[in-house]
Amino acid sequence: MRFRLYPSTAQKVLLLEQCGQARYVWNLGLEQRLMWRRWQGPTPGFNAQSAQLTEARRAESWLACGSQTVQQQALRDLDQAWQRFFAGTHKRPKWRKAGEDEGLRIVGPQAVRVRQDNGARSSVLVPKIGWVSFKRSRALVDWKSYRITRDRAGRWHIAFA
């Protein structure tokens, strides 16, 4: 189920920052995997990259000000993309580009924080951003996560899975 998201101007800035941080983590993880050479041994997997993310968040304040859930999920999505590539069901993971691949995913207990504001509007609690409203066109049932994306025209969308 995909709905149109209506963030305020300040929330748009924060969403773009979080998307940029998730894109940075994805691209950095992708770069590590692409640098694989047979004589160097295996590249770091999800667990090793998660530990590196924790160290990077400790060292870099701009990365620490973002949501750890969003950044961790970017690494998890990358790991899943590699698994699907090696299984032969999907293409090789690609670099994410600013303005084209803007998005983030929220999972776990944070993903179910949705409130109904009125008959047509609801709000979702995005970590480190706050309540962001969206227009519902149908009822929400049994979701475990959601993905917020921005299209090339600058419109924000939320999809529940």
Side-chain angles (χ1 to χ4, degrees), residues 90-105:
H90 289 72
K91 292 182 180 179
R92 180 183 218 158
K94 295 182 180 179
W95 299 98
R96 291 194 174 170
K97 299 174 187 166
E100 292 180 23
D101 303 308
E102 301 291 355
L104 53 97
R105 191 161 79 125

Side-chain angles (χ1 to χ4, degrees), residues 25-133:
V25 168
W26 170 282
N27 287 340
L28 195 61
L30 182 64
E31 181 182 12
Q32 281 185 329
R33 299 267 183 116
L34 292 177
M35 291 177 56
W36 178 79
R37 300 292 178 256
R38 188 173 298 158
W39 60 86
Q40 292 177 332
T43 59
F46 171 72
N47 292 331
Q49 286 180 334
S50 294
Q52 291 171 359
L53 175 62
T54 303
E55 292 173 20
R57 285 177 56 85
R58 219 175 284 128
E60 298 294 333
S61 61
W62 67 271
L63 198 57
C65 71
S67 171
Q68 185 174 4
T69 304
V70 170
Q71 297 165 9
Q72 199 83 16
Q73 196 58 46
L75 285 178
R76 191 174 303 278
D77 290 345
L78 176 64
D79 187 58
Q80 188 176 40
W82 277 112
Q83 288 175 6
R84 289 177 176 171
F85 169 69
F86 288 124
T89 59
H90 289 72
K91 292 182 180 179
R92 180 183 218 158
K94 295 182 180 179
W95 299 98
R96 291 194 174 170
K97 299 174 187 166
E100 292 180 23
D101 303 308
E102 301 291 355
L104 53 97
R105 191 161 79 125
I106 305 294
V107 297
Q110 296 171 342
V112 295
R113 295 181 184 154
V114 177
R115 70 179 184 203
Q116 185 170 350
D117 298 335
N118 59 33
R121 297 276 179 148
S122 291
S123 296
V124 62
L125 184 60
V126 181
K128 303 259 182 157
I129 294 176
W131 291 98
V132 182
S133 80

